[in-house]
């Protein structure tokens, strides 16, 4: 390795040289046998990394891939020894040579001040790079593995966010809300009033940054549309009379944690907490978008008419009469979205039910929001027409929103059924499916 | 596996059956694909484990070893594939089949309320069992691996322990002090006065239990003996005038964390903190026992006299004249320990210097305390005679204590030298070695 | 005034001169019209005061009395003006010349760092001096007035004291317990277990010092004796099953606050808190000493036999047969207190009932503990024989203890009756009174 | 009293009756001799008061004045007794009959939950009523007296307000800023950056409401104008290099505390704090408005020209040529304020110096801001032209702002001089005065 590094040095650009210097620091850090210098070496290494420009970072990750992977020969030898005799010693040796040295490297980098935050930024960058260099997934696998261990739900602290929360945290809530944008402090305040709740997960190593947060409305019925939940000024109601908790938004704040499951644990914990605090609340539901619906519809409209069952074909025609082949272009002719949508209530709702219950009808991925909640053990309860007429919602979900219901007693069963391929849905939704 | 389990069921004793039930819960927990039920299943499994008696626990760990290890055939296949083509996919597959499923199991168990604490208790038990069943080290390796990751120094919080600390924490300090026993609350109080410091590491998942703590005296000279440091009542001095920080005790509180490096990081952090708070403190040293000295001496006395260099043989004779062949039996004839020790100052001190600088002289392990500090980058500075005349200290260290000095600028160099086999010691200590 | 000071200067002793210097600082402090220097002048003045010896302090208070009292001529003029015309201006002038300048002086001294604590120490000393110089009560009246205002219950914070409380606070609880001495940390711990409660009042200006605390046992019956409540080691019981809260000790920590009502507010707040936390607790009672009983008895025994009602005389004879004329000397003849007390159960209990219900029988003060609880609206419920056989309790209360019961609904009525001269007692206690 | 109340009952309107009921509750509260019911009676009384409309409140205060004042006859008798013999007992009696019973009433009301906050609201209303009923000042004197005692600086906690402060507190800072309006959260944020400081006083009985706050800019020179200090977005500078702390705004949040000195203590504390934190900061100055300047100028312009010294008359003519008789109408002819002000720099600045140094020139009050800072011991350092061109600042201060400088060593001396009638000003300001 050193040989080849020497030979190719002449080709190195300045950024490559800087990346090589970070790699050299990584080697030094990994070779430390005591702890005396670990933290300061880790700090120095991360400082060097941060000083790299984007190309330097790309180079750094490629080097990490090439130079800190397990040695195939050693792995094979250890695997053979273990196959011959499955002793503790052989297993230990196997584990030692199989684990990419990158993992220990990241563990040591984590000892720098703010190490965890920097590693999350590293991964954010790595995720971008992976799009063009899929082989970097091997490096990402190590980070994913470590982050899943470090951000184990057992280490997370759930915190209520309200008007007593320090401003610098609220500011982050405003910035990270991903589902229904927060317009400013007044808008935020409405979402933190006594009949609204917001909970966030924090990790001790990132004390000042929320990881993920969920927004809940305490109401007296399952919400049909999002506008009434967000409207300001509002008369907030006494939450002691609420019967229903509507989870209307869930947002991740750390792109570097993509793929590390947090949302399901957060929902579970909030359901537990609210059911203790509000004895009268019996229904826990979401009000969720269907972001895969319009792409699915577009795909279907592209297919020859006669390949569809009759009812389905009819519904598709109704939609295309009104919107043409792009259902996302609702409201394009001067009429308001609501006006154009009005005649489409039945076909759109039934198409959506069909989409959610038979995702395999065309070759398209299952709706990601549906998959998330169904896998968590929720039931597909109701499809709401014209429930969110914001631009983004029209473009992705044709304005539809779905209530998924979490019933503590059936969560486990529903989850098992979903694992087994069955989607648990209310009779009402099932009756909407367009089949012959 | 299931087959064999069925066939042998008739032989199971009740505790075995109970252990099998825990194993069954573990399987269930591992097979979960969503997060919906993880926390409650983990809780149930840990509850079952806690209900096992000691035999049941032994059985449980043996089952963990037998049934949750990697499959050798799969490992071999993946290793071959990776040897042929070192792609990300093959590496990922290799990692997946090589990591013992126990690791994921423990990660999931950790999601139960107080999961981390229970896992530490599990390991405490496992460490006991390992003495008789060394093959269980394969299970322990998984726990060690996870705990090192979870108790990464980047996640630990250093807390000052003083008289403002809640009583339930102080109580634990009293209970866990391992070096110089604390007699009660008055004794503790002396150790928390303004010219004394105590710092502990805490982990967020064990908020109410210290992991390790260190006790420091701020003085105006390197301490020669421990009694003056502990003495009550005392006139505590203004620490602003101190020139020296003496680390006179370091104690682990969690037997389940054995082998997870914490002490070195704690010392490093305390040195940093004190050097900022007390600008006049220039010397950071320990006052440490030499617990391997008496066993080493006894071994040496057992050997034929003429195998030793002359000076060494002479010193040994002086010791055996006074104490017989067991140097631990000091003071056995009615005279006080101090009286019997008095004539031995020179031979004992020189023997100790020889022991610390030439640990390989007889086939004995290096002194563990010396190894710890030297590996951390400290320098062996001074050997103090009659420095601790408590029973335990006489029995293990013949009453001697050692000052190791931590000098921030030379820590890295000293550590490197130690790794390279060299022991950094003061001229004074070196001059004491008994060589010809 | 200045004249006379000059003339007598020759007689001043050094401490008098020092006291005069404090008085001079007080004048300066009082003459300040802005706030610029108040805090630093106040600090300097209090520092000077602390440097005085006891004689100097006595001199200082005498000077405060002589030189910082209202001017009688000014007062009279203002009173006449107000009598002629009760205008706001005349009232204001009246208030200004009538309020002793000492009050404003103390208000300004309070602005020094730790001013409040020092003023409390001042008053502690003043209370001692008052015993010999009753005229100093005029100075004390000003302090009492200010402290009542500053320590208004609206400003006090009630804090639960338990095993999570910092050691330096627990130490104060041990030191100040006035009713049933705490022997050390183990003894304290028993009083802080889950079926025991301890609450203290704190004032924001004395954040590190409790003002007063009360100890409560949660039990399943009204306690008859104190020993079972204090006993260690103990099996603490689940307080969720408790039906009764026994207030078994209430202790003041600040001698400088004598006469400032705190205990009644603390009891009231604890009753409120516990009745919310433990829905099953229906009985709130005390287990209280009767410290005035033995002095009263001694007084009665001193009187001629034939002045008493027959039943009373008979009971007194029974007592004096056993104990002679001094009922405090129980157990003097080698028998244990319990043995000597045994035959006296009836006469002692009935004498105590008589004492508590007819305090005016001899010219003696009403029992102070009884007066405190009765005035707070409690009911005299039960007299317990041999309920506390500690030396102090035998000497003061002949081993008897009383349960006073606080019933939220009747507190107001009972208090009004007590104000009106009536003592509310249970039928049982009333039936014990020795009348003809 | 009761008689007359009965006779006039027929004339009572409903609100009067309600006010009478509050008064009746007050009597009951005052007559309580134990503490048993004080808090609940106090709560009931304050609830009743809050239910009164504005007329009812006016009636209530009038009744407080008429019925809870000292009895002139008793006062006179006690004053005579004290005049004859100035004993402690007579002094005590005098104090007791002279103190209006209202004071004890308010002390008891303070024991209700949130009593202090309600009493502050009471006083707010009373201050309004006083404008039309000056005789109510007798009631206000009692509140002022109590509040000065309760809000003794020794009890106040100074808190730094920054971006970590909870939103509900920041919201109050936005609402109460009285000098330079805060436009919203972004504007606020600039004032909380690292080179800005904001400190507030809190009282323990009003934990959620600041009493007063001050805003400070850390700069490298004495500020000449306010706009650069407030400007957003800004490049905040490293405060470690600052040499100057500019107090550019101080705002009261509690109208009910008017007349209770807080600002001077707050400035003093902040100066102390900053001089410890920033060793390089040597200059502590304000940037203050001169709100009395334009009224003074208008008054002067109204007087006959020839009564003034020549230089003064000349300056006045220059001003009136440009602005007419109303200097507040700057910018009225279409030109910007800056344009119209430009030619007036010299006359306006010199007129202002004359105003500040010779406030008695016309019969007008001294500038309140000047009086505040000069009495606190500050020095009048510099007059800045066109330093604040906001509407309010032009109307009141003709756009001028003044730097007052606080130098710890001279504060005491300056304050004493001000008390003695001398205004301490820089040579520069003194040289501007328009005298002949």
């Amino acid at each position: 390795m050193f040989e080849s590094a020497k030979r190719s040095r002449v080709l190195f650009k300045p950024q490559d040289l800087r990346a090589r210097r970070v790699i050299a620091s990584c080697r030094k850090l990994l070779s430390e046998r005591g702890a005396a210098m670990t933290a300061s070496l880790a700090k120095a290494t991360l400082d060097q990394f941060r000083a790299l420009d984007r190309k330097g970072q790309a180079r750094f990750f490629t080097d990490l891939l090439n130079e800190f992977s397990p040695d195939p020969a050693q792995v094979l030898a250890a695997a053979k020894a273990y196959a011959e005799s499955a002793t503790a010693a052989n297993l230990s040796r196997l584990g030692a040579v199989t684990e990419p040295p990158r993992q220990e490297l990241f563990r040591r980098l984590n000892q720098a001040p703010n190490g965890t935050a920097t590693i999350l930024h590293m991964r954010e960058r790595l995720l971008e790079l992976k799009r063009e260099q899929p082989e970097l997934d091997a490096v990402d696998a190590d980070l994913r593995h470590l982050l899943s261990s470090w951000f184990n739900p057992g280490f997370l602290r759930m915190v209520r966010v309200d008007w007593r929360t320090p401003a610098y945290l609220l500011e982050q809530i405003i910035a990270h809300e991903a589902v229904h944008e927060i317009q400013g402090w007044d808008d935020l305040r409405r979402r933190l009033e006594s009949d609204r709740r917001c909970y966030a997960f924090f990790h001790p190593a990132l004390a000042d940054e929320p990881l993920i947060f969920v927004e809940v409305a305490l109401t007296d019925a399952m919400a049909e549309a999002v506008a009434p939940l967000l409207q300001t000024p509002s008369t907030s109601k006494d939450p002691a009379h609420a019967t229903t908790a509507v989870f209307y938004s869930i947002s991740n704040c750390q792109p570097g944690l993509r793929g590390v499951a947090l949302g399901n644990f957060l929902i579970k914990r909030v359901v537990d907490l609210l059911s203790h605090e509000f004895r009268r609340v019996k229904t826990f539901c979401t009000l969720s978008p269907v972001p895969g619906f319009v792409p699915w519809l577009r795909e279907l409209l592209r297919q020859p008419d006669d390949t569809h069952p009759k009812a389905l074909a009819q519904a598709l025609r109704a939609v295309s009469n009104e919107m043409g082949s792009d259902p996302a272009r609702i409201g394009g002719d001067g009429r308001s979205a609501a006006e154009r949508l009005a005649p489409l209530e039945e076909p759109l709702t039934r198409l959506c039910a069909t989409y959610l219950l038979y995702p395999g009808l065309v070759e398209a991925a299952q709706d990601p929001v549906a998959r998330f909640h169904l896998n968590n053990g929720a039931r597909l309860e109701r499809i709401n027409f014209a429930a969110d007429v914001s631009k983004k919602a029209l473009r992705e979900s044709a304005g539809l929103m779905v209530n998924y219901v979490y019933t503590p007693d059936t969560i486990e069963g529903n989850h098992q059924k979903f694992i087994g391929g069955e989607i648990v849905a209310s009779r009402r939704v099932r009756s909407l499916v367009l089949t012959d």
Side-chain angles (χ1 to χ4, degrees), chain A residues 222-343:
Chain A
M222 202 155 68
E224 291 185 330
V226 76
L229 298 182
L230 304 181
Q231 173 177 306
T232 57
S234 72
T235 44
S236 87
K237 289 178 195 156
D238 182 352
H241 300 305
T243 60
T244 310
V246 185
F247 291 64
Y248 65 93
S249 181
I250 182 160
S251 303
N252 286 291
C253 310
Q254 300 292 339
L257 282 177
R258 197 197 301 161
V260 176
L262 297 172
N264 39 9
F265 295 104
L266 181 56
I267 290 177
K268 191 98 201 328
R269 292 263 287 270
V270 173
V271 168
D272 283 353
L273 189 101
L274 293 179
S275 56
H276 277 90
E277 189 175 345
F278 298 101
R279 297 280 170 187
R280 303 186 52 181
V281 168
K282 299 293 180 205
T283 305
F284 296 90
C285 67
T286 74
L287 184 66
S288 308
V290 206
F293 179 48
V294 169
W296 175 86
L297 205 53
R298 203 180 291 135
E299 179 63 29
L300 227 56
L301 287 167
R302 222 176 278 140
Q303 296 181 358
D305 198 321
D306 53 8
T307 60
H308 301 311
K310 221 159 62 183
L312 181 61
Q314 206 172 339
L316 287 169
R317 265 197 305 280
V319 169
S320 70
N321 283 346
E322 187 64 31
M323 304 190 193
S325 64
D326 185 356
R329 267 187 294 153
I330 291 172
D333 64 352
R335 287 181 295 163
S336 76
E339 283 172 321
R340 287 201 72 185
L341 278 176

Side-chain angles (χ1 to χ4, degrees), chain A residues 102-113:
Chain A
R102 286 184 292 266
Q103 290 194 17
E104 180 62 17
L105 174 64
F106 289 128
R107 275 192 287 265
R108 294 188 177 198
L109 287 173
N110 192 44
Q111 295 176 23

Side-chain angles (χ1 to χ4, degrees), chain A residues 5-299:
Chain A
K6 217 163 33 175
R7 265 185 285 126
S8 57
R9 188 178 294 160
V10 66
L11 300 169
F12 282 169
K13 297 166 202 148
Q15 272 300 320
D16 286 339
L17 284 174
R18 276 191 209 110
R20 293 303 304 164
R21 221 172 297 142
V22 191
I23 290 291
S25 293
C26 289
R27 288 201 184 290
K28 183 141 197 274
L29 181 58
L30 258 184
S31 69
E32 271 292 297
R33 275 202 277 168
M37 307 305 293
T38 313
S40 56
L41 270 175
K43 183 183 178 310
T45 311
L46 291 180
D47 287 349
Q48 289 172 348
F49 173 81
R50 270 186 295 259
L52 294 179
D53 67 8
R54 300 179 65 79
K55 290 214 168 159
Q57 292 178 345
R59 166 81 204 208
F60 167 75
F61 286 117
T62 307
D63 289 351
L64 268 195
L65 174 67
N66 293 335
E67 306 182 29
F68 291 81
S69 286
D71 177 335
Q74 286 189 11
V75 169
L76 191 54
K80 281 183 179 158
Y82 181 65
E84 273 165 36
S85 168
T87 61
N90 282 341
L91 178 54
S92 161
R93 168 94 190 129
L94 176 66
V97 302
T98 308
E99 186 185 281
R102 286 184 292 266
Q103 290 194 17
E104 180 62 17
L105 174 64
F106 289 128
R107 275 192 287 265
R108 294 188 177 198
L109 287 173
N110 192 44
Q111 295 176 23
N114 291 317
T116 312
T118 309
I119 289 173
L120 287 179
H121 290 306
M122 270 190 169
R123 182 159 184 250
E124 212 176 321
R125 177 68 182 124
L126 181 60
L127 291 172
E128 285 171 30
L129 291 167
K130 253 176 69 176
R131 283 185 223 133
E132 287 166 24
Q133 297 178 260
E135 72 278 15
L136 288 178
D137 187 57
V139 179
D140 190 37
D142 293 321
L143 277 173
R144 238 170 16 232
H145 184 273
L146 282 173
L147 293 173
S148 295
S149 195
W150 291 344
F151 288 80
N152 188 299
F155 297 149
L156 304 184
R157 198 166 45 98
M158 189 171 83
V159 171
R160 180 168 173 195
V161 175
D162 60 16
W163 205 235
R164 300 191 80 89
T165 300
Y168 78 94
L169 282 177
L170 294 182
E171 190 177 47
Q172 295 183 58
I173 298 293
I174 295 179
H176 289 297
E177 158 66 73
V179 188
H180 305 294
E181 206 186 335
I182 301 178
Q183 302 298 337
W185 292 83
D186 292 335
D187 196 3
L188 172 64
R189 188 169 188 177
R190 197 293 165 252
R191 303 196 191 189
L192 303 178
E193 278 172 6
S194 65
D195 60 346
R196 295 291 181 266
R197 290 296 169 100
C198 179
Y199 297 94
F201 263 155
F202 284 82
H203 187 271
L206 290 172
D208 286 353
E209 296 182 46
L211 307 181
I212 185 172
F213 61 90
V214 65
E215 295 165 75
V216 186
L218 294 161
T219 63
D220 47 17
M222 202 155 68
E224 291 185 330
V226 76
L229 298 182
L230 304 181
Q231 173 177 306
T232 57
S234 72
T235 44
S236 87
K237 289 178 195 156
D238 182 352
H241 300 305
T243 60
T244 310
V246 185
F247 291 64
Y248 65 93
S249 181
I250 182 160
S251 303
N252 286 291
C253 310
Q254 300 292 339
L257 282 177
R258 197 197 301 161
V260 176
L262 297 172
N264 39 9
F265 295 104
L266 181 56
I267 290 177
K268 191 98 201 328
R269 292 263 287 270
V270 173
V271 168
D272 283 353
L273 189 101
L274 293 179
S275 56
H276 277 90
E277 189 175 345
F278 298 101
R279 297 280 170 187
R280 303 186 52 181
V281 168
K282 299 293 180 205
T283 305
F284 296 90
C285 67
T286 74
L287 184 66
S288 308
V290 206
F293 179 48
V294 169
W296 175 86
L297 205 53
R298 203 180 291 135
E299 179 63 29

Side-chain angles (χ1 to χ4, degrees), chain A residues 266-428:
Chain A
L266 181 56
I267 290 177
K268 191 98 201 328
R269 292 263 287 270
V270 173
V271 168
D272 283 353
L273 189 101
L274 293 179
S275 56
H276 277 90
E277 189 175 345
F278 298 101
R279 297 280 170 187
R280 303 186 52 181
V281 168
K282 299 293 180 205
T283 305
F284 296 90
C285 67
T286 74
L287 184 66
S288 308
V290 206
F293 179 48
V294 169
W296 175 86
L297 205 53
R298 203 180 291 135
E299 179 63 29
L300 227 56
L301 287 167
R302 222 176 278 140
Q303 296 181 358
D305 198 321
D306 53 8
T307 60
H308 301 311
K310 221 159 62 183
L312 181 61
Q314 206 172 339
L316 287 169
R317 265 197 305 280
V319 169
S320 70
N321 283 346
E322 187 64 31
M323 304 190 193
S325 64
D326 185 356
R329 267 187 294 153
I330 291 172
D333 64 352
R335 287 181 295 163
S336 76
E339 283 172 321
R340 287 201 72 185
L341 278 176
L344 296 177
E345 171 154 6
E346 201 194 324
L348 273 179
T349 310
R350 301 194 68 167
L351 281 163
C352 187
T354 311
Y355 166 58
L356 290 170
L357 280 170
Y358 297 93
L361 202 63
V362 295
E363 241 180 84
Q366 190 172 22
D367 186 72
V369 174
R371 191 174 52 235
F372 173 77
H373 291 300
L374 295 169
N375 188 36
N376 288 342
R379 181 175 73 246
L380 169 50
E381 187 68 20
R382 194 171 68 187
I383 296 171
N384 302 287
F385 184 71
D388 184 358
V389 294
S390 71
K391 260 190 190 169
K392 187 185 169 209
L394 288 171
R395 194 174 58 237
E396 293 177 356
S397 313
L400 299 174
M401 297 193 88
V402 173
N403 301 121
Y404 300 95
V405 169
Y406 283 83
T407 310
D409 289 347
T410 62
I411 281 180
E412 166 67 355
N414 291 349
H415 161 65
Q416 292 298 353
K417 286 182 187 159
F418 182 74
I419 295 296
E422 181 186 344
I423 287 173
V424 179
S426 67
R427 176 184 300 265
R428 182 168 164 182

